[in-house]
Amino acid sequence: MTLGIRPEGHDENPSITFYEAVGGHDTFVKLVDVFYRGVADDPVLKPMYPEEDLGPAKERLTLFLEQYWGGPTTYSETRGHPRLRQRHFPFHVNPDARDRWLRHMRTAVDELGLAPLHEETLWDYLQRAAHAMVNTFEETPS
Ligand code: HEM
């Protein structure tokens, strides 16, 4: 997927993907690393993760985001179709969980120091995706 960096076929330079434009693999690794640092310390989100070690979850999110933005398609090759809403059904994703998720993502996006248009594009997507993932309005069970 290419995302409006340069219109395809209207330039002597081949258009590049958003993935490449923001710095490729290193950028996505950093984004997800910083995000999971927040998750690890979050009393609502951390208990939702089935594995004590957040490493594998980190890897899945990195691969998914890389694929989404036009990088390698390893996510689908290893995990199949994303079906993200469905994959989140087992988890209690209420507005509080969503806002916490977004807060940790915001910190991570800020640390990347991207160009304003790239930052806005990424952040807009993350917000929409997080809102779409909400599957309950019940409070977090204690
Ligand atoms: C809104 C709040 C969200 C919460 C509380 C949440 C929580 C979780 C949890 C607990 C898991 C299981 C960990 C694992 O085993 O991988 C998971 C998996 C995952 N989440 Fe989320 N998530 C949220 C939003 C999102 C959003 C917005 C995206 C994408 C932009 C996303 C992408 C993923 C991916 C790719 C996986 C791994 C799916 C797989 O291949 O099994 N999540 N999430």
Side-chain angles (χ1 to χ4, degrees):
M1 183 176 75
T2 57
L3 268 176
I5 307 304
R6 288 187 203 109
E8 249 166 326
H10 293 274
D11 196 312
E12 67 280 9
N13 296 314
S15 64
I16 61 165
T17 61
F18 184 86
Y19 170 81
E20 290 164 332
V22 297
H25 183 65
D26 290 351
T27 296
F28 287 88
V29 167
K30 183 168 179 194
L31 176 72
V32 174
D33 263 357
V34 176
F35 169 71
Y36 270 102
R37 238 182 270 152
V39 170
D41 285 339
D42 190 301
V44 170
L45 296 186
K46 176 64 179 63
M48 291 170 66
Y49 285 78
E51 292 155 308
E52 182 52 33
D53 174 13
L54 290 174
K58 221 155 114 171
E59 173 85 359
R60 288 188 278 271
L61 182 58
T62 308
L63 291 177
F64 171 80
L65 291 173
E66 290 187 326
Q67 172 171 309
Y68 181 86
W69 292 107
T73 54
T74 320
Y75 178 85
S76 281
E77 284 153 27
T78 52
R79 304 291 294 162
H81 191 287
R83 297 185 209 291
L84 280 192
R85 239 187 95 70
Q86 196 178 318
R87 287 195 206 260
H88 285 77
F89 284 154
F91 311 115
H92 199 91
V93 186
N94 63 11
D96 177 47
R98 173 199 65 204
D99 292 347
R100 288 167 179 272
W101 192 99
L102 279 171
R103 206 175 311 138
H104 303 311
M105 256 316 166
R106 184 68 242 184
T107 303
V109 169
D110 284 345
E111 284 210 20
L112 295 179
L114 299 177
L117 182 58
H118 290 152
E119 183 177 303
E120 229 174 89
T121 304
L122 179 61
W123 181 237
D124 181 63
Y125 163 74
L126 291 167
Q127 286 187 97
R128 281 185 290 113
H131 278 74
M133 224 56 82
V134 171
N135 54 27
T136 178
F137 288 89
E138 286 173 20
E139 281 184 26
T140 307
S142 46

